[in-house]
């Protein structure tokens, strides 16, 4: 999985998301030449495009969806502090084109956050998802084994973090739990993940996030840092942790593993190779 999948195309000229704190928005407004580049350095979590991620072996896409404040159109974008240059609809079509040339591949799309989405915009988004993927969507009453999905022609599982829409559409799956450590150090993140494992895995899909998270103190202590530098430093230790994991239904087993900068350090290869332990 890729954490914050769409941050490779954040808009450098974008306003700060309406979900961010008043302090961040105020500082960005007063000192844009200083604050905006810092925001960009700590917002970008991926450099591969969505097609490149799929080609690399990523099969879980983490979509943070938003509607820009004061935008009269129905256009929806992705967001991580700032908005993307591309729309959600364009990316869904891009995924469809890739799936059509890879008929035995299955992709999980997690639709989350929904910054600024009204009921009307939710209806619009779900209508787009259904129109684009059509019979490729796997309904939630289907047990999604590969054999079953291949037989029925399903290639897409969409989890949707909005209860009202879930009740209306059988094509949408419930939110997939994401183990987010919210840690700045690799050791603390691994301790968090091990603690979650001891509590026992959820019965269905779930994500172990191996992504580190900055905070204001960390940024001030590392004025020339970036999320990429922070991530690349942590990957050797996280690589060891990944290789120690086991997939499967047992209590301490792992399901989806999602990270930042997924093209680095054999992350995808290491996760896929865990299947040989089954």
């Amino acid at each position: 999985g890729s954490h914050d999948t769409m941050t490779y195309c954040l808009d450098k000229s974008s306003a700060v998301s309406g979900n961010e704190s008043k302090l961040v928005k105020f500082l960005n407004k007063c000192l844009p030449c200083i604050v905006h580049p810092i925001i960009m350095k700590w917002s970008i979590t991926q450099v591969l495009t969505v097609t490149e991620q799929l080609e690399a072996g990523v099969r879980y896409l983490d979509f943070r969806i938003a509607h820009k404040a004061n935008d009269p159109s129905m256009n929806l974008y992705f967001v991580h502090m700032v908005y993307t240059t591309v729309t959600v609809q364009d990316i869904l079509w891009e995924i469809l084109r890739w799936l059509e040339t890879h008929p035995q591949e299955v992709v999980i799309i997690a639709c989350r956050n929904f910054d600024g989405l009204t009921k009307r915009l939710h209806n619009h988004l779900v209508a787009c998802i259904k129109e684009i993927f059509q019979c490729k969507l796997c309904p939630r009453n289907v047990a999604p084994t590969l054999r079953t999905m291949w037989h029925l022609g399903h290639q897409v599982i969409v989890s949707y973090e909005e209860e009202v829409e879930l009740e209306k559409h059988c094509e949408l799956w419930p939110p997939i739990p994401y183990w987010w450590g919210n840690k700045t150090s690799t050791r603390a993140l691994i301790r968090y993940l091990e603690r979650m494992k001891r509590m026992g895995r959820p019965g269905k899909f779930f994500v172990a996030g191996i992504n580190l998270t900055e905070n204001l103190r960390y940024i001030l202590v590392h004025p020339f840092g970036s999320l990429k530098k922070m991530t690349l430093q942590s990957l050797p230790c996280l690589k060891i942790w990944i290789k120690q994991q086991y997939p499967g239904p047992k209590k301490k087993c792992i399901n989806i593993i999602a990270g930042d900068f997924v093209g680095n350090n054999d992350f995808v290869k290491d996760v896929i190779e865990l299947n040989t332990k089954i």
Side-chain angles (χ1 to χ4, degrees):
S2 59
H3 167 251
D4 263 312
T5 301
M6 294 304 303
T7 55
Y8 64 86
C9 58
L10 293 178
D11 186 352
K12 290 178 183 176
S13 61
S14 163
V16 174
S17 156
N19 251 8
E20 297 307 319
S21 69
K22 289 180 181 177
L23 176 61
V24 171
K25 286 188 275 191
F26 174 75
L27 290 173
N28 187 57
K29 191 173 181 180
C30 296
L31 302 163
C33 295
I34 297 171
V35 176
H36 210 75
I38 294 171
I39 288 173
M40 293 299 293
K41 282 199 306 179
W42 293 97
S43 297
I44 295 170
T45 66
Q46 306 296 341
V47 292
L48 299 182
T49 68
V50 74
T51 296
E52 288 169 341
Q53 291 179 39
L54 292 168
E55 287 288 342
V58 167
R59 294 295 178 269
Y60 167 89
L61 304 172
D62 175 22
F63 283 176
R64 317 293 177 93
I65 296 173
H67 183 257
K68 292 180 181 178
N70 305 316
D71 182 356
S73 77
M74 300 281 281
N75 289 339
L76 298 174
Y77 296 85
F78 304 96
V79 67
H80 189 217
M81 292 196 76
V82 294
Y83 302 100
T84 55
T85 54
V86 300
T87 65
V88 172
Q89 207 164 354
D90 286 342
I91 293 301
L92 296 180
W93 282 114
E94 186 176 337
I95 293 168
L96 175 69
R97 288 192 292 272
W98 188 85
L99 289 170
E100 285 175 337
T101 59
H102 299 79
Q104 287 197 304
E105 296 298 330
V106 174
V107 174
I108 298 172
I109 300 174
C111 297
R112 310 171 63 196
N113 280 43
F114 301 126
D115 177 9
L117 264 70
T118 60
K119 185 178 178 181
R120 182 164 169 253
L121 287 166
H122 274 293
N123 289 339
H124 172 64
L125 174 57
V126 175
C128 286
I129 290 169
K130 291 168 78 168
E131 178 198 351
I132 291 167
F133 294 120
Q134 298 186 24
C135 62
K136 290 187 184 298
L137 285 172
C138 178
R140 62 177 175 268
N141 62 349
V142 171
T145 66
L146 285 175
R147 191 186 301 277
T148 301
M149 294 187 76
W150 290 338
H151 176 68
L152 297 173
H154 299 323
Q155 287 184 268
V156 183
I157 290 171
V158 176
S159 86
Y160 205 87
E161 286 193 358
E162 174 56 50
E163 226 172 281
V164 175
E165 297 304 319
L166 276 177
E167 290 174 7
K168 291 192 291 187
H169 304 280
C170 67
E171 297 88 351
L172 302 178
W173 287 60
I176 294 175
Y178 193 108
W179 290 356
W180 177 51
N182 193 18
K183 307 294 183 186
T184 58
S185 85
T186 315
R187 284 184 179 181
L189 176 60
I190 289 172
R191 282 198 301 270
Y192 163 80
L193 292 171
E194 287 298 317
R195 187 167 71 251
M196 295 300 287
K197 280 170 58 183
R198 285 195 296 274
M199 291 165 63
R201 58 152 294 165
K204 298 181 181 179
F205 293 119
F206 73 100
V207 184
I210 62 159
N211 48 292
L212 293 173
T213 307
E214 81 292 346
N215 54 35
L216 183 57
R217 183 176 177 276
Y218 188 93
I219 293 171
L220 293 173
V221 173
H222 301 83
F224 302 107
S226 67
L227 193 56
K228 187 169 188 177
K229 284 183 185 176
M230 186 185 193
T231 300
L232 295 185
Q233 288 168 2
S234 73
L235 284 179
C237 285
L238 289 168
K239 184 183 178 78
I240 293 167
W241 183 84
I242 289 169
K243 289 192 164 194
Q244 293 170 342
Q245 304 314 304
Y246 286 84
K250 292 181 181 176
K251 181 180 175 180
K252 292 187 178 181
C253 286
I254 288 295
N255 185 216
I256 300 164
I257 302 177
D260 292 334
F261 302 101
V262 292
N264 289 92
N265 208 19
D266 292 332
F267 164 72
V268 177
K269 178 173 167 282
D270 291 341
V271 175
I272 292 172
E273 281 184 354
L274 294 179
N275 290 311
T276 62
K277 296 182 180 182
I278 294 177

